């Protein structure tokens, strides 16, 4: 199986994956926020969406399109604007609609749509130029220059990263879901969380705008 890297490379990549997985990002903020708002299923849907976005980037990186986007100043600038704008939109939504637990006229808790959570997860990673840079500049470090199987190995490493991160993400979602039971009884705390999420999304928007493609 020529697409498999050697064992030392896989070990080094796994260590890097662990560090990247526990580093907060817009996608982590999203699936934890959706978990607090709509429960475990909503959080998982958002995470699956983010992973779908990463898988698309993995495929694009393997065939070279991501590298072309990162190499084009105009395309990269446009992507930064779209990505930052999307995060600002999510920040505004967190303040206006809130991650708090909504109650409808029947007294039941309103939960975000699973499809909406999934699509938002896809959007948050597809519009994040930092994800493109990850797949364009980070993954190739684990593939030898001139390797005829480079495309297959890049795709394998991208999928491996998604699979590696999944148990950790699910653990965070379960923990957030357990915390949600307490927050249901404390609306002031959940409102404070709305502002925290909005601030985090805004901060990531600034970071995206300052991301350099070269």
């Amino acid at each position: 199986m020529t697409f498999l890297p050697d064992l030392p490379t896989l070990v080094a990549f796994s260590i890097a994956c662990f560090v990247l997985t526990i580093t907060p990002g817009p996608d982590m903020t999203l699936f934890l926020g959706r978990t607090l708002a709509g429960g475990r299923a909503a959080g998982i849907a958002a995470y699956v969406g983010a992973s779908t976005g990463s898988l698309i980037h993995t495929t694009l990186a393997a065939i070279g399109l991501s590298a072309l986007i990162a190499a084009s100043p105009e395309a990269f600038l446009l992507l930064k604007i779209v990505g930052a704008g999307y995060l600002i939109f999510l920040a505004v939504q967190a303040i206006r609609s809130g991650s708090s637990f909504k109650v409808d006229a029947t007294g039941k808790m309103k939960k975000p749509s699973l499809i909406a959570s999934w699509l938002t997860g896809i959007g948050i990673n597809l519009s994040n130029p930092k994800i493109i840079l990850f797949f364009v500049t980070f993954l190739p470090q684990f593939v030898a220059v001139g390797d005829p199987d480079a495309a297959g190995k890049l795709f394998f490493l991208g999928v491996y990263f998604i699979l590696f991160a999944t148990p950790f993400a699910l653990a965070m979602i379960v923990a957030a879901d357990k915390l949600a039971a307490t927050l249901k009884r404390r609306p002031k705390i959940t409102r404070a969380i709305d502002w925290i999420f909005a601030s985090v999304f805004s901060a990531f928007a600034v970071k995206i705008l300052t991301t350099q493609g070269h």
Side-chain angles (χ1 to χ4, degrees):
M1 293 186 288
T2 56
F3 61 85
L4 290 176
D6 56 40
L7 184 59
T9 299
L10 192 59
V11 171
F13 185 69
S14 297
I15 295 173
C17 284
F18 176 75
V19 174
L20 291 169
T21 298
I22 62 175
T23 301
D27 50 355
M28 181 188 293
T29 303
L30 175 69
F31 69 70
L32 290 181
R34 288 301 169 96
T35 302
L36 292 175
R40 192 176 304 181
I44 292 175
Y47 174 72
V48 171
S51 297
T52 302
S54 295
L55 182 60
I56 294 172
H57 276 307
T58 296
T59 305
L60 292 177
I63 61 178
L65 291 184
S66 289
L68 291 177
I69 293 175
S72 168
E74 295 78 12
F76 197 74
L77 175 61
L78 177 61
L79 192 65
K80 288 199 298 183
I81 294 173
V82 171
Y86 188 60
L87 289 177
I88 292 297
F89 168 76
L90 293 177
V92 171
Q93 288 297 103
I95 298 300
R96 292 183 59 188
S97 302
S99 62
S100 308
F101 300 89
K102 305 300 181 184
V103 180
D104 61 20
T106 65
K108 295 180 180 180
M109 292 292 177
K110 290 184 177 179
K111 294 184 179 182
S113 162
L114 297 184
I115 294 179
S117 295
W118 177 68
L119 290 174
T120 303
I122 293 177
I124 207 169
N125 267 2
L126 281 185
S127 61
N128 187 351
K130 285 182 174 292
I131 301 295
I132 282 186
L133 288 181
F134 167 77
F135 287 107
V136 171
T137 64
F138 182 74
L139 290 188
Q141 297 179 42
F142 297 89
V143 178
V145 176
D147 189 336
D149 302 306
K153 288 181 178 178
L154 285 172
F155 185 78
F156 171 82
L157 290 174
V159 173
Y160 179 85
F161 171 71
I162 295 171
L163 296 177
F164 183 93
T166 296
F168 297 96
L170 293 179
M172 287 186 278
I173 288 172
V174 170
D177 186 41
K178 292 182 178 179
L179 178 63
T182 300
L183 296 180
K184 286 180 182 180
R185 302 188 296 269
R186 301 184 179 182
K188 289 184 178 180
I189 295 180
T190 58
R191 190 54 183 160
I193 291 176
D194 294 339
W195 283 94
I196 292 174
F197 282 144
S199 299
V200 172
F201 280 131
S202 299
F204 282 123
V206 173
K207 288 184 66 176
I208 282 179
L209 287 175
T210 57
T211 297
Q212 299 299 314
H214 303 283

